[in-house]
Amino acid sequence: MVFSSYAFIFLFLPIVLIGYFILSKLSDIKYQHIFLILASLFFYGYFNPVYLFIIISSVAINYTIGTLMKRSGYLNANVPDGRHRFLSPKELLIIGIVFNVGLLGYFKYYDFFIENVNTVFHLSFTVKNILLPLGISFFTFQQLSFLIAVYKGREKTDRFTAYCIFVLFFPQLVAGPIVLYGEMIPQFTDVKRRYLNADNLALGVYLFVIGLFKKVVIADTLSLFVDNGFAASELSLSAAWITSLSYTLQVYFDFSGYSDMAVGLGKMFNIDLIPNFNSPYKSASVSEFWRRWHITLGRALSTYIYRPLGGNRKGKLRTVFNLMITFFISGLWHGAAWTFVIWGTLHGMIVALERLSGSILDKIPRALRIAGTFIAVNFLWVLFRAESFSQALKVYTGMFNFKSVGISQLADIVYDGIINFPAPIDILYILGLTAVLLIVVFSRKNSMEKFKEFTPQRKYMIFGALLFCVSVLHLTRETVFIYFNF
């Protein structure tokens, strides 16, 4: 189930909210937790019930490993000398890491690995065309963080229901943010958060509606331009740049829309999810971009990959190496394709060059640095979106095709096969929309800034109602969020 659907907005969400807060009248909070867990499982298994077996097994095994890890010292202390001792916390952690990475590797990378083996060694192993379970990259990272925290003594293992709600809480289940156990469980066990809070509900609905509008009205409109552009046999200069800018804006509004909706949904349940998105295109460097884009993924990669490798503590060359490995893994995490790997690696190269340049970049006016960063990020998004290197090359070739400006091809980019407007109108439409969205991205306050300013006033209610009505009209073209694929 996706947030931007009739079923979610008009059935699932109202039923879950009403049921959750009705259960707050019972003395034990566990009934609310159980209800929310069951609702989240329904949400997760809505498209494909087979997914439920995978995630339930993952949750049960990780919780068991975490519990045994916590108890292993006591178990070993009570084993007589000479007898077989129980597994140590380190051994259990290794088992947990192997299990989680193995699960992710099988579902996400098995076919990728087999295809490359077949190509390199001219073999013919069977490709299974494995269906990727929703959110497996996210809940795998989340559970690995839990096991590592337990191993280091930073977290304890609570009730199984508490662990389930940490992993399965539906607003963040399939596309983040990647939250930590210690960030979530104290909120769910806080008695004051059990009960309906009208202010939080209003704020959550407001932020959810903003995210819904971003997704179904803006991002899904841009997806048509992107699909047409990448499907074209060749692109003129103007068509290639509009195609790349359209995807740059689509992925921005799609992911920021999801992030807004997730935070808004959490707020409706009195749960504060970490904002995962902070105007990344206003960044003055690619390094800053990654501190603003998918914030919790950056935190996870820094905590579990970059710092354990040594971070920036072992000299410049080692820092560059550590950055390259981290961004290589980031690219691979995003998708089982060499386009993603190269995309991540190129980002790592730019970040490494920025690190080596020291304070030299600071001498360049910030506006120029922002423009340069945006152009670089826009250029690399082409590789991220392309289904193959040849498709990416086609777009890149068009972006430098100065012999053919080809303004007329913009009308083909807009064409939806239903409504036929005169070509000049289509051209003005796509150019105007792109310009307006770029102005919004670079000059307007982001959702989190609006979130902090919100008060339940009439102007916000009217504005939210207007956005909601327009969004509902666009729900007929239901599409999944881009990050659902990762």
Side-chain angles (χ1 to χ4, degrees):
M1 186 178 295
V2 296
F3 299 157
S4 53
S5 65
Y6 291 115
F8 180 86
I9 294 171
F10 295 109
L11 289 175
F12 179 84
L13 182 58
I15 290 171
V16 175
L17 277 171
I18 293 169
Y20 181 77
F21 288 117
I22 285 177
L23 291 173
S24 68
K25 298 183 181 297
L26 300 179
S27 58
D28 197 331
I29 199 172
K30 72 177 181 181
Y31 297 110
Q32 285 177 280
H33 290 173
I34 292 171
F35 175 78
L36 200 51
I37 290 167
L38 293 174
S40 296
L41 288 172
F42 177 85
F43 171 86
Y44 186 77
Y46 182 79
F47 282 140
N48 190 343
V50 175
Y51 291 153
L52 292 175
F53 173 77
I54 298 167
I55 196 168
I56 290 172
S57 299
S58 175
V59 168
I61 292 172
N62 276 283
Y63 178 77
T64 301
I65 293 172
T67 302
L68 292 174
M69 196 186 301
K70 201 68 176 176
R71 298 178 59 193
S72 63
Y74 169 79
L75 293 171
N76 283 328
N78 288 276
V79 174
D81 292 339
R83 297 283 186 88
H84 178 70
R85 299 179 68 82
F86 191 72
L87 294 170
S88 69
K90 186 175 183 179
E91 291 169 331
L92 286 164
L93 176 63
I94 292 171
I95 291 172
I97 291 173
V98 170
F99 168 74
N100 284 287
V101 173
L103 187 70
L104 180 63
Y106 175 75
F107 283 103
K108 191 167 184 175
Y109 302 107
Y110 176 86
D111 284 345
F112 176 62
F113 176 76
I114 293 300
E115 287 169 355
N116 282 278
V117 167
N118 287 343
T119 300
V120 173
F121 298 102
H122 305 289
L123 299 173
S124 56
F125 289 116
T126 302
V127 176
K128 295 184 178 180
N129 296 314
I130 299 170
L131 186 64
L132 183 66
L134 283 174
I136 190 170
S137 298
F138 291 91
F139 66 71
T140 298
F141 241 136
Q142 206 155 302
Q143 295 189 97
L144 279 172
S145 74
F146 168 77
L147 293 180
I148 293 170
V150 170
Y151 173 73
K152 292 182 176 180
R154 296 173 182 170
E155 297 293 352
K156 61 179 182 178
T157 51
D158 296 293
R159 290 178 176 178
F160 181 58
T161 52
Y163 183 74
C164 286
I165 207 166
F166 156 65
V167 179
L168 300 174
F169 185 45
F170 71 87
Q172 52 82 44
L173 176 58
V174 291
I178 302 170
V179 294
L180 303 178
Y181 191 79
E183 294 168 342
M184 298 297 291
I185 298 308
Q187 296 189 66
F188 279 111
T189 55
D190 184 355
V191 176
K192 295 179 181 177
R193 295 175 184 258
R194 290 188 63 188
Y195 307 102
L196 179 65
N197 183 308
D199 289 340
N200 283 345
L201 181 63
L203 179 54
V205 169
Y206 179 71
L207 194 55
F208 178 87
V209 168
I210 290 177
L212 180 67
F213 183 86
K214 287 181 179 180
K215 164 60 180 170
V216 302
V217 178
I218 301 177
D220 287 354
T221 296
L222 291 167
S223 69
L224 170 67
F225 309 156
V226 175
D227 293 344
N228 287 341
F230 275 87
S233 57
E234 60 179 341
L235 293 168
S236 64
L237 180 71
S238 60
W241 276 97
I242 285 296
T243 297
S244 67
L245 286 171
S246 293
Y247 186 69
T248 295
L249 292 168
Q250 180 196 355
V251 72
Y252 177 95
F253 284 104
D254 189 283
F255 189 38
S256 68
Y258 175 87
S259 299
D260 292 344
M261 295 165 85
V263 173
L265 287 167
K267 201 67 179 177
M268 294 180 203
F269 291 92
N270 303 319
I271 301 298
D272 296 318
L273 292 175
I274 296 176
N276 210 19
F277 200 87
N278 183 23
S279 297
Y281 292 162
K282 294 178 182 178
S283 302
S285 66
V286 174
S287 302
E288 183 183 351
F289 170 83
W290 279 104
R291 292 193 294 272
R292 290 169 170 261
W293 178 277
H294 210 325
I295 295 168
T296 57
L297 174 62
R299 178 181 67 173
L301 291 171
S302 176
T303 301
Y304 304 117
I305 306 295
Y306 179 67
R307 291 177 190 171
L309 287 172
N312 59 358
R313 300 187 302 273
K314 298 184 178 181
K316 288 185 177 180
L317 289 179
R318 183 59 182 272
T319 298
V320 169
F321 174 79
N322 295 341
L323 285 170
M324 293 303 297
I325 292 295
T326 302
F327 276 94
F328 173 88
I329 292 173
S330 173
L332 193 60
W333 179 91
H334 277 86
W338 286 111
T339 50
F340 288 108
V341 173
I342 300 302
W343 169 82
T345 302
L346 289 173
H347 270 278
M349 290 176 60
I350 297 172
V351 171
L353 289 172
E354 290 174 349
R355 186 69 61 88
L356 292 173
S357 69
S359 60
I360 295 176
L361 292 177
D362 295 336
K363 298 176 183 179
I364 302 174
R366 182 171 176 82
L368 290 179
R369 285 185 285 139
I370 291 174
T373 300
F374 178 77
I375 291 172
V377 170
N378 173 74
F379 193 79
L380 292 178
W381 277 134
V382 172
L383 200 56
F384 187 90
R385 168 59 176 78
E387 296 175 2
S388 64
F389 287 113
S390 60
Q391 191 179 57
L393 182 61
K394 175 193 65 181
V395 179
Y396 288 141
T397 301
M399 293 173 76
F400 294 96
N401 184 13
F402 297 106
K403 295 181 179 179
S404 175
V405 176
I407 294 290
S408 61
Q409 193 179 8
L410 296 182
D412 298 330
I413 300 296
V414 176
Y415 183 63
D416 63 1
I418 300 174
I419 302 175
N420 291 312
F421 287 109
I425 293 178
D426 283 337
I427 293 169
L428 289 175
Y429 167 62
I430 195 170
L431 290 175
L433 180 62
T434 303
V436 168
L437 293 178
L438 286 172
I439 291 171
V440 169
V441 165
F442 285 104
S443 66
R444 304 299 298 172
K445 292 181 179 179
N446 62 40
S447 300
M448 290 302 106
E449 291 168 328
K450 292 181 178 294
F451 180 84
K452 294 175 182 178
E453 296 176 350
F454 177 84
T455 54
Q457 297 179 9
R458 180 179 297 176
K459 64 178 181 179
Y460 291 112
M461 298 301 128
I462 294 174
F463 178 68
L466 178 62
L467 292 186
F468 182 72
C469 290
V470 174
S471 300
V472 168
L473 293 176
H474 287 75
L475 286 180
T476 52
R477 55 181 184 184
E478 179 182 326
T479 57
V480 299
F481 291 89
I482 290 173
Y483 264 76
F484 273 27
N485 298 317
F486 308 136

